Amino acid sequence: EYDIRLEGVTKRFDDVTAVEDVDLTVESGTFLTLLGPSGCGKTTLLRCIDGFETPTEGEVYIKDDLVTRTPPFERDTSMVFQSYALFPHMTVGENVAFGLQMKGIPGEESDDRGGMGGSLKRLIRRENSSVVDERVADMLELVELPDTQDRAIDELSGGQQQRIALARALVTEPTVLLLDEPLGALDLKLRKNMQVELKNLQEDLGITFVYVTHDQEEALTMSDEIAVMNDGEIEQLGTATEIYEEPATEFVAEFIGETNLIRGRYRETDDGAVVEREGREYVVPKTAEARGDVAFAVRPEKVRLGAEADGLDNRFEATIVDEIYKGNLGKFVVELDDGQELTVDMQIRDQGDYHQVGEAVPVGWSALNSVVLTE
Ligand code: ADP
Ligand code: MG
């Protein structure tokens, strides 16, 4: 059962293609993150789901409804912005209630889903005000700011304002909550706390979140699924582990975490595959789509130094050329005799794990810990 389905969604602004031919299905109750660098089309894709933008091509479904050309207030979605977009001249309670005015009160609009005009009129009718008050109070409790209805927006901290924006978006009980870099304006400590709270809230509510960020660590922490975007396209869709351990493309391998990329020619052997570079063969996993010139990726923490490299199917003599930090974690740059440099991260457990620049030390990794990238 899905909440969102995008079929071939493309959005062009004059000569800029912001989103290109995106297919995406989001199962109900998923925390999905759109992750990618600034300008890759995250906000535009989110706006196509919400209805603030109409795709140039392709279709958008929410549940089983085709909504490609349905205006935002008639969709079962709600949006939280980085800028909060609260009204400073209205109280907290009025701001949260405005969420209902935007979309109409679910369960009360059966006569027509007539959008803002009709909803506003209904809201103004006295008999509805208690329903609204109750709903607003519930939402303020949900975001852990109970009894703040009468407070002024500018009395609240940035973190509290973001909670109010969240309450305003959730007050309509949307099927899908869309969040566009909602924690971007908060300082690091508060952002970390809010990441955990948002994830817990999503699990408690059981609704679908589509969360936009350019911060890979945030994406890895919060998401059930991550769609890595580049240049208007989804390069890979997967769990945090899949994206990290099995990046599909060079872009994904380099954007998520740190990685070593080695380029060469892919060749299958009797019992597996190798990548040849400068007369040296690196053992790699056999990969169906790989042929010719490829790159393969090895994470720095998968490379072993010294005695730990013994017996691994990739083991080479190397020289330490840099040590970046020490403490309980060591980061070293080593150079193989063909000039290939590798970054190595390791736990420093005892004195013997320290290495000096200029020291000769074997390096190694298991082929299973490398990934051949075909794009
Ligand atoms: P992101 O949210 O990932 O930073 P955006 O979706 O905001 O990316 O933008 C994707 C591309 O589309 C960018 O090149 C941006 O300049 C362009 N773009 C976005 N909105 C508009 C618009 N309304 N008019 C023209 N170009 C736009
Ligand atoms: Mg954006």
Side-chain angles (χ1 to χ4, degrees), residues 251-263:
F251 176 82
V252 175
E254 299 218 272
F255 192 73
I256 315 290
E258 228 189 310
T259 200
N260 293 296
L261 281 187
I262 301 179
R263 288 172 205 287

Side-chain angles (χ1 to χ4, degrees), residues 37-44 46-47 82 180-181 212-214:
S38 174
C40 73
K42 306 180 295 294
T43 294
T44 305
L46 207 65
R47 288 166 64 86
Q82 175 177 349
D180 194 354
E181 313 227 14
V212 163
T213 184
H214 62 271

Side-chain angles (χ1 to χ4, degrees), residues 38-57:
S38 174
C40 73
K42 306 180 295 294
T43 294
T44 305
L45 190 59
L46 207 65
R47 288 166 64 86
C48 287
I49 299 171
D50 195 76
F52 289 116
E53 300 286 359
T54 305
T56 316
E57 287 164 37

Side-chain angles (χ1 to χ4, degrees), residues 137-339:
D138 286 349
M139 286 305 123
L140 290 174
E141 228 158 86
L142 185 73
V143 298
E144 290 169 22
L145 287 171
D147 306 319
T148 52
Q149 283 87 333
D150 297 328
R151 301 273 295 276
I153 291 296
D154 59 12
E155 287 173 30
L156 303 180
S157 68
Q160 289 172 326
Q161 289 189 29
Q162 190 51 289
R163 284 167 200 266
I164 300 304
L166 192 61
R168 181 183 58 187
L170 286 169
V171 73
T172 55
E173 298 178 3
T175 298
V176 173
L177 185 67
L178 306 164
L179 305 102
D180 194 354
E181 313 227 14
L183 309 182
L186 306 180
D187 65 45
L188 185 65
K189 186 151 178 277
L190 190 54
R191 196 157 77 225
K192 296 262 179 217
N193 289 339
M194 285 291 284
Q195 285 172 6
V196 176
E197 285 186 31
L198 274 177
K199 177 67 191 153
N200 290 342
L201 184 67
Q202 185 268 338
E203 280 172 1
D204 291 347
L205 295 172
I207 66 172
T208 299
F209 275 33
V210 182
Y211 189 95
V212 163
T213 184
H214 62 271
D215 179 342
Q216 43 116 357
E217 204 182 303
E218 187 161 282
L220 292 173
T221 320
M222 301 175 82
S223 322
D224 298 319
E225 283 199 298
I226 301 173
V228 184
M229 289 187 69
N230 181 29
D231 233 351
E233 295 181 88
I234 293 182
E235 293 239 347
Q236 188 171 2
L237 175 69
T239 63
T241 313
E242 284 165 353
I243 298 274
Y244 186 82
E245 298 287 348
E246 292 165 63
T249 67
E250 279 190 43
F251 176 82
V252 175
E254 299 218 272
F255 192 73
I256 315 290
E258 228 189 310
T259 200
N260 293 296
L261 281 187
I262 301 179
R263 288 172 205 287
R265 280 191 79 77
Y266 178 87
R267 185 166 57 78
E268 291 192 355
T269 59
D270 291 344
D271 52 357
V274 295
V275 170
E276 259 176 20
R277 179 184 181 279
E278 305 272 334
R280 164 160 289 157
E281 289 184 349
Y282 297 94
V283 185
V284 294
K286 199 164 157 178
T287 307
E289 318 84 73
R291 52 184 52 81
D293 291 331
V294 297
F296 71 94
V298 196
R299 298 287 184 193
E301 72 275 14
K302 300 282 166 65
V303 183
R304 303 280 175 252
L305 286 184
E308 282 188 50
D310 290 349
L312 296 175
D313 45 9
N314 289 292
R315 182 185 178 283
F316 309 104
E317 299 305 322
T319 308
I320 305 279
V321 293
D322 203 3
E323 35 159 335
I324 299 166
Y325 61 79
K326 284 181 179 173
N328 68 328
L329 284 177
K331 185 184 272 299
F332 301 97
V333 180
V334 300
E335 190 180 302
L336 309 192
D337 54 13
D338 64 359

